[in-house]
Amino acid sequence: MTDLTVTSDSPASLAVDALVVGAVRTPEGPRLLADALPTAAATRLASLAPALGITGAPDDVHRLPAPDGVAARVIVVTGLGSDAEDAEALRRGAGAAVRTLAGTASVAVALPAASDDAVAAVLEGAALGAYAFDRYTTDADAKAAVGAVQVVVPDAKAARAAAERAQVLATSVHLVRDLVNAAPNDLYPEAFAGTAKDAAKGTGVKVTVLDEKALAAGGYGGLVAVGQGSSRGPRLVKVAWSPSKPAATVALVGKGITFDSGGISLKPPTSMVAMKSDMAGAAAVLGTVLAAARLKLPVAVTGWLCLAENMPSGTAQRPSDVITIRGGKTVEVLNTDAEGRLVLADGLVAAIEEKPDVVVDVATLTGAQMVALGARVSAVMGTDDVRDEVVAAAGRAGEQFWPMPLPAELRESLSSKVADIANIGERHGGMLVAGLFLKDFVGRTPWAHLDIAGPAFNEQSPFGYTPAGGTGVAVRTLLELVEARAARA
């Protein structure tokens, strides 16, 4: 993990490999934000900017030779867009710079950070950008993440708590990214459960694992049915942070399909390539619980990781099978590729049995999410007040979640002639139909459903603090939600 610290020293005096400064777009052209540097150095940098094509646009990152009077070896100019005071612009600018400096031993980031929110954003962006996944490469020249990052702040002592939080947050996000990026032959339900146990050591988080025999005995029909086609059985992992006298209780339920072939309703080959990421919801839940524990938040946070591998075989569930979810509700399985909602139903029922104040599920649930909102905007639906609470938390965290409805008229399409409910319904509005299916299993408990199908796995080029592959989306939003519950108690 990259070492993240704060300093109030002059940026020009920092003897680092790279010093990051910002640039913004203005009607008159790009403007460098290098006022903290000596006047002669700032003037020299400004004179070089036009020739290098510096625009100040987001993800516009350039390296310049350090001018006289600056101890760093090079200057890195990162674009902040048109508003250098916007927290997310600072977060992305810091992240883009640190990400592109992979392999560098030491970096200092000197972006505008006059407010507490700005300081936190720069710290988070730098920490999130300092990520590299090299588990499988044998290339000796592969670049690791930046070794150490110093963030220049007005008051280093006052910023230490924000730096500690940013480090905790990044540790969880990076864990999620590692899990999502892991090959499915390495990350299967039992292995995921083992990783959860290892990651929880020393945090105070209690981990309980139910294997396939315990799941069958406990009536977890969704997990059993989805996992029965694989030679590697399903698991339900409970991860619980339980402080004394908690101010609130929050349950998080995550879809953890470690590989989704579609089962008997087999996906097209090209649609399977990224399906190692179908466990991103469970990974985000694990990361959030661990972050809450490391920050010692006074909220009881219990995560339910619903883990299974959806494979076709002679033992796999079939279209037309009827299964019984924990609690007794029956489901007619019309499409085995609508499996995520089946494992989530088990997890939601188990979570609600403990009577939490609120339950939130997070899942790479539907391709319809990407049709509706694209690859960078997640959806949230559920009880109106909890849905709005999630959207507000996402806004503070810098993640994009869009509120969606649950139209009652679509519920009829989930009717079954032989069971309580079918696992698929109307194709149009499929994201909403999936939400309505889950709603049947939450009763009156305040609830929100997060569909992160597109944003969980970046199949395009890196941007801002977001790498290619696993992104770690939802951890920041869920942690903000838990912290807000703690603050208002």
Side-chain angles (χ1 to χ4, degrees):
M1 186 72 185
T2 298
D3 183 37
L4 180 69
T5 58
V6 291
T7 180
S8 297
D9 292 345
S10 166
S13 70
L14 299 175
V16 292
D17 292 320
L19 174 65
V20 178
V21 299
V24 293
R25 293 183 297 190
T26 74
E28 293 76 32
R31 178 169 64 88
L32 263 64
L33 304 177
D35 294 344
L37 300 181
T39 301
T43 302
R44 174 61 177 161
L45 291 176
S47 69
L48 292 173
L52 291 173
I54 291 173
T55 67
D59 287 307
D60 183 57
V61 180
H62 295 266
R63 301 189 191 197
L64 294 74
D68 292 340
V70 175
R73 293 185 178 183
V74 299
I75 296 289
V76 177
V77 181
T78 186
L80 302 176
S82 58
D83 186 359
E85 296 182 0
D86 178 73
E88 180 61 8
L90 289 169
R91 195 179 284 113
R92 292 186 181 185
V98 172
R99 175 177 53 77
T100 58
L101 287 167
T104 305
S106 60
V107 174
V109 180
L111 297 181
S115 68
D116 291 345
D117 287 346
V119 167
V122 175
L123 285 163
E124 289 172 14
L128 292 170
Y131 174 79
F133 184 73
D134 58 3
R135 178 173 175 176
Y136 299 110
T137 183
T138 60
D139 183 359
D141 296 325
K143 293 182 179 179
V146 168
V149 176
Q150 291 176 279
V151 174
V152 180
V153 297
D155 185 338
K157 184 176 180 180
R160 282 174 190 160
E164 290 172 1
R165 182 187 182 277
Q167 192 90 63
V168 167
L169 180 65
T171 298
S172 281
V173 170
H174 292 177
L175 170 64
V176 175
R177 292 172 175 175
D178 284 348
L179 287 166
V180 173
N181 289 330
N185 57 319
D186 289 328
L187 189 74
Y188 45 93
E190 184 180 6
F192 197 142
T195 297
K197 286 183 176 179
D198 291 341
K201 289 177 181 177
T203 65
V205 171
K206 181 180 179 181
V207 181
T208 306
V209 180
L210 299 183
D211 63 13
E212 52 264 64
K213 291 183 179 179
L215 291 170
Y220 294 93
L223 278 158
V224 170
V226 173
Q228 71 190 34
S230 174
S231 60
R232 306 187 293 189
R235 297 290 186 273
L236 179 62
V237 181
K238 178 183 177 183
V239 287
W241 163 242
S242 304
S244 60
K245 298 180 180 179
T249 56
V250 175
L252 305 175
V253 181
K255 174 187 173 184
I257 304 300
T258 57
F259 184 76
D260 183 17
S261 69
I264 296 294
S265 306
L266 196 67
K267 292 179 182 290
T270 56
S271 298
M272 262 189 249
V273 176
M275 284 300 101
K276 67 178 185 178
S277 67
D278 212 17
M279 35 55 66
V285 166
L286 174 61
T288 303
V289 175
L290 293 174
R294 290 187 174 111
L295 293 172
K296 301 189 183 304
L297 297 182
V299 174
V301 188
T302 302
W304 301 82
L305 317 182
C306 306
L307 309 177
E309 187 175 54
N310 188 24
M311 298 291 286
S313 73
T315 60
Q317 68 172 338
R318 298 152 288 258
S320 295
D321 278 2
V322 175
I323 64 174
T324 303
I325 301 298
R326 182 171 174 85
K329 187 165 289 189
T330 58
V331 180
E332 182 183 14
V333 179
L334 298 180
N335 188 323
T336 65
D337 195 25
E339 84 299 328
R341 63 201 69 181
L342 301 178
V343 302
L344 285 175
D346 274 338
L348 284 167
V349 172
I352 289 167
E353 288 173 352
E354 297 192 347
K355 297 182 171 25
D357 297 331
V358 63
V359 61
V360 178
D361 75 76
V362 54
T364 49
L365 202 61
T366 67
Q369 178 274 321
M370 290 180 278
V371 173
L373 297 174
R376 296 193 186 182
V377 181
S378 302
V380 54
M381 56 207 83
T383 311
D384 288 352
D385 56 346
V386 184
R387 180 195 62 197
D388 294 345
E389 183 181 359
V390 171
V391 172
R396 295 190 300 272
E399 294 189 315
Q400 298 183 85
F401 277 84
W402 196 256
M404 303 297 290
L406 289 173
E409 64 272 14
L410 290 177
R411 172 59 180 83
E412 178 60 29
S413 70
L414 289 166
S415 295
S416 167
K417 294 179 180 179
V418 299
D420 295 327
I421 191 171
N423 78 323
I424 60 169
E426 173 66 46
R427 184 174 69 87
H428 298 293
M431 173 175 60
L432 313 181
V433 172
L436 287 164
F437 176 91
L438 296 175
K439 184 181 178 182
D440 259 44
F441 297 89
V442 299
R444 296 184 179 181
T445 301
W447 156 75
H449 160 57
L450 281 55
D451 194 334
I452 60 170
F457 194 76
N458 178 23
E459 298 188 69
Q460 305 301 321
S461 299
F463 59 93
Y465 47 75
T466 303
T471 66
V473 71
V475 172
R476 289 151 55 199
T477 293
L478 293 173
L479 185 61
E480 278 280 352
L481 184 145
V482 173
E483 289 174 321
R485 289 256 166 173
R488 78 188 197 196

